[in-house]
Each structure stands twice: as C-alpha cells, then as structure tokens.
Amino acid sequence: MAHVHEHEHDENAGAEQRKAIWRTFWILLAITALEFLIAFTLEAGILKTAIFVGMTIVKAFYIVGEFMHLKHEVKSLIWSLLIPCIFVVWLLIALMREGGSIFDLR
Amino acid sequence: MAATAQPNVKNVWLGGVEPMKASYGKLMMWFFLISDTFTFSALLVAYGLVRFSSPAYVGQVADFVASPAYWPIPEKVFDAIPFFHGLHAPLVFVGIMTFILIFSSVTMVLAVEAGHRMDRAAVEKYMLWTILGGATFLGCQAWEWTHFIVGTDSGTVVKELVDGDWVTHTVFGANLTQNQYGPPAFADFFFFITGFHGTHVLSGVILNFLVFYRTATGLYEKRGHYEMVEKIGLYWHFVDLVWVFVFTFFYLV
C-alpha cells in the first residue's frame, strides 16, 4: 500500500511540473509573436532595439530558469554561471562603441 | 583514527558529496555550456563590431535596395519561404524555424520529466519528437542557406574598382567573397554564426538519437536513473537559447 501511495504522489508532482513546462512554452510563444508584431509596426530606432533586447533576455530567463532548471539550483551555481556572462555584456557594449568609433575614423 | 575513512560518513575530500548539489556530469555540462557561451558571444560581438563600423542604410525601409555599400536590413534579405517563389514574406520562415526549435525544447524537457518518473515509453516518445524537431530545423536551415547562396532572380548590380577601372557586373546570391544582399562581411557572419549554430544542432540531434537508442534498449532503466537525458537536455536547451539570441541580433535588429 505504501508503495502505491508513493507512486501516486510522484505522478501528482509530475503533473504540476508538466503544467509549468507548458506555461513556459506559451510564454515563449507569446513573446516571439509579440516580437513579430513589433518588427513590423514600430519604427527602427533605439527604442525598438531596446525592446527586442529586453524581450530576448526575458526569453533567455525562461529557457535557462525553467527548461534548464537553473532557477531551482543552489545559489552558488547560479552565480558562477551568471557572473561570467556579465563580462560578455561588457565586451559586447565595449566593442559596439569601438565599432562606432572605427566608422567615424574611416 | 581520524585519518581512516569511515563508511557511511560523507567526507568532503573522499567523494560522496556533490558540490553545488549537482552531480559531476551535470556540473561539467554547465561549465562546458558557459565556455560555449563565450564562443558564440565572440561571434556575435564580432558581428556587432563590424556592423557598427560599417555604413548603415539611411532612408525609408520600403525603398530599401540591396547594395554592398551599406549594411542590409535583415527583413529585406530573409523574406522567402519554400513553395512560394517570389512572395515577399519577411522573417516568416525564420519565425517558423524559431517555433520548431522552441517546441523541440518543450518535448525535450517533457522527456526529462518522464525520466524522473522512470516512464520509459514516455521518454522514448518525447525523445523521438525532439529528434524530429531538430532534424526539421536542420532541413529548414539547409533550404535557407541554399536560397541565400543561389540568390534572387534579378541579383544586384555591383560597381567595382578592378585594376583602376570601374567594372559593373551582376552578383547573384552570396558566398564568402561576394554578396548580393550587402557587404561581403554580412554573408560571412551569416555563414559562420548560423553555421556554427547548425553544427551544434546537428551534434545535438546525434546525441539525442544516442539517448533515444539507449532508452529504447533499456540501459537507463537498468542503471536506475535517466540523468543522461537531463544532461543532453541541458545541451539541447542551450542550442535553443543560442538561437533565441541569433534570432534577435541577426534577424530582428
């Protein structure tokens, strides 16, 4: 009897997890659809780029947090993966500014 | 007394303790993925540098004409879909590709969840869906590359300085040195970034098939856990994640 009960409990936990998976899927789909809408309605510019980058980060948060389960890992693992990424952002901004400078000098 | 290892006592230096509460394999997969992040970032950062150091297109989006003189607007370059030759459908095909990859990520995480329940049949089913999604994505990419390389019907007339003389000729499609859609660097980055990502998808499909095979032959059931599905799952989600960034930085902005 104890075994049956345990099995039942496992299945319930799985159902909850499956619900979270599908919710994440719908969120990702909605953001992608919204990106398309913005791509064809908003004028190109800083605001549009900022919205796209923001939405990408939200999507990345859901993929890494839910699908890759990082949200539920220990804090030291989360930080040891996030902190190196800060340097990537730094490099990206630095070299885009550098590119603008190269353009001005040419 | 203190130096002898006691059974059933967890010792930090003698194993039995998982750092960061993740198994060795999972931790190593995470650290591999962070190093792979650097590689992809290097490609995207280089793209940003070259794009910002190249002239941008000024004028109305509707009047855009491809030229090697300025960076193209991606939605004007990637506007074709299979079976509808000549139809202007900006970013529709790449949107479909994005959807396929996100969906295969969902079936992958469902396979991981089924593995937690030791549900072998469900793991097999979801792994097959994931493999199908990956293979479909690769097929789409093959079509996209072919279209990009072959080019449009009319091509682009390019004026070039050859040995001191201005020569006019028509360029069809793109390769590593010539590009009808914009500067050659644009095509180079397209081939390198989507190609490197496609290689990841290809190896992901192979790994997924290996996991499917080992599930179907009952290896993980005998082992007592489906952790390998989780580890390969991490890799597969990472490939999806990279595509999210490529989609934004190469196709949208």
Side-chain angles (χ1 to χ4, degrees), chain A residues 14 18 36 56 95 99 106, chain B residues 20 34 49 53 91 113 117 248:
Chain A
R18 283 195 293 276
F36 261 84
T56 305
L95 283 193
R106 269 211 281 247
Chain B
M20 296 172 171
I34 195 80
L49 174 82
S53 62
L91 301 180
E113 193 275 325
R117 287 182 286 115
T248 301

Side-chain angles (χ1 to χ4, degrees), chain A residues 26-79:
Chain A
W26 288 114
I27 291 168
L28 290 174
L29 194 68
I31 295 172
T32 308
L34 208 60
E35 277 180 331
F36 261 84
L37 198 71
I38 290 167
F40 298 115
T41 50
L42 213 64
E43 282 283 302
I46 293 280
L47 177 72
K48 195 178 180 180
T49 310
I51 290 173
F52 280 148
V53 171
M55 287 173 123
T56 305
I57 290 168
V58 173
K59 279 210 277 192
F61 172 80
Y62 276 105
I63 292 173
V64 178
E66 293 292 341
F67 286 176
M68 295 170 92
H69 215 254
L70 189 63
K71 233 169 91 183
H72 312 284
E73 303 286 353
V74 293
K75 276 212 169 70
S76 57
L77 178 56
I78 296 175
W79 284 114

